[in-house]
Amino acid sequence: MARKPTAGFDAKAFLTKASTGRSVAAYRKKHVIFAQGDPADAVFYLEKGQVTLTVVSDRGKSGVVAMLGPGDFFGEGCLAGQPLRIATAAAMTEVSVVRVERQAMIGLLHERSLFSERFMAHLLARNVRIEEDLVDQLFNSSEKRLARVLLLLARFGKEGATEPMIPKVSQEVLAEMVGTTRPRISGFMNKFRKLGFIEYNGGLHIHSSLLNVLLHG
């Protein structure tokens, strides 16, 4: 039987061990981890919390391009020769991240096969997500796109990682992610609440029934 590429490998435990080129840092909500235009000199591993990646165009228009959760890597563009950050990474909640300097990361990928497999799995999953986002934007309605964003925020479908209650996200941010207006987001959210797909009770609770919007909406 073929061995699963990352079976038995704990990336969090491996990366949080004290070592040259690696450091652990905590950030408060809304704190910027790195800004668009900063030198791209390290890769980050998100140990705890949620992070947004936002891009601002030359004309000042901003858009959220990704929302990351525990176990995700970000800032990996530096490994492909990216000299400057093309997005701003900011904490949505209180977060803990491991910063791995570029040369240290290259060394880990060369010397540690299990870590290399884990990182490759991340890159492949990110590529699939980008393709799904493109299909979503091209063919799905704004209502379906919002449902998908909410399910992704709850990490629905990730084994052992589902978070039925997600941090408070402004409707402006959701509108940027979905590609529509804030009033439309407000209308959809009210509809989802009335249908029992979501509820507000000390936070935003996402129910698996929200899948009905994607499957039958």
Side-chain angles (χ1 to χ4, degrees):
M1 182 179 293
R3 177 179 61 86
K4 292 183 180 180
T6 56
F9 180 70
D10 188 341
K12 174 182 174 181
F14 175 72
L15 284 171
T16 52
K17 289 180 180 177
S19 181
T20 302
R22 281 180 265 172
S23 58
V24 180
Y27 294 88
R28 294 181 178 179
K29 184 178 180 180
K30 295 184 179 181
H31 193 102
V32 172
I33 299 167
F34 59 73
Q36 186 172 331
D38 283 353
D41 54 5
V43 177
F44 293 83
Y45 174 79
L46 183 52
E47 179 187 2
K48 181 180 70 175
Q50 291 189 307
V51 166
T52 58
L53 296 181
T54 305
V55 174
V56 179
S57 71
D58 293 337
R59 296 183 178 181
K61 185 176 181 180
S62 65
V64 177
V65 295
M67 301 189 84
L68 311 174
D72 286 334
F73 290 89
F74 58 103
E76 63 268 31
C78 67
L79 300 176
Q82 185 184 92
L84 302 175
R85 301 295 186 190
I86 62 172
T88 294
M92 269 188 70
T93 62
E94 290 189 354
V95 305
S96 175
V97 298
V98 182
R99 183 184 188 275
V100 186
E101 294 179 10
R102 180 177 178 275
Q103 288 302 318
M105 187 70 173
I106 292 173
L108 290 174
L109 293 173
H110 281 298
E111 299 165 9
R112 305 282 184 167
S113 60
L114 287 176
F115 176 72
S116 182
E117 289 178 13
R118 169 68 179 82
F119 188 68
M120 182 61 69
H122 157 77
L123 293 180
L124 292 173
R126 176 73 63 84
N127 188 61
V128 169
R129 168 71 186 277
I130 291 171
E131 291 178 350
E132 290 175 345
D133 286 347
L134 179 58
V135 170
D136 197 35
Q137 288 289 336
L138 289 174
F139 300 112
N140 287 336
S141 67
S142 297
E143 184 176 6
K144 282 190 175 183
R145 295 202 300 272
L146 175 60
R148 179 170 175 266
V149 164
L150 293 174
L151 289 167
L152 287 171
L153 284 174
R155 302 177 73 78
F156 185 83
K158 292 195 175 184
E159 187 175 354
T162 302
E163 299 175 8
M165 186 175 75
I166 64 176
K168 184 178 179 181
V169 184
S170 72
Q171 292 186 352
E172 287 79 6
V173 168
L174 289 174
E176 289 178 359
M177 294 188 70
V178 172
T180 188
T181 63
R182 192 205 62 76
R184 295 200 72 194
I185 293 294
S186 178
F188 293 143
M189 293 291 280
N190 286 332
K191 178 181 177 180
F192 292 166
R193 181 179 55 80
K194 290 176 181 177
L195 291 172
F197 297 155
I198 65 174
E199 62 179 292
Y200 300 97
N201 183 18
L204 179 58
H205 291 255
I206 309 297
H207 299 296
S208 60
S209 57
L210 185 60
L211 274 171
N212 291 327
V213 177
L214 298 180
L215 299 175
H216 309 295

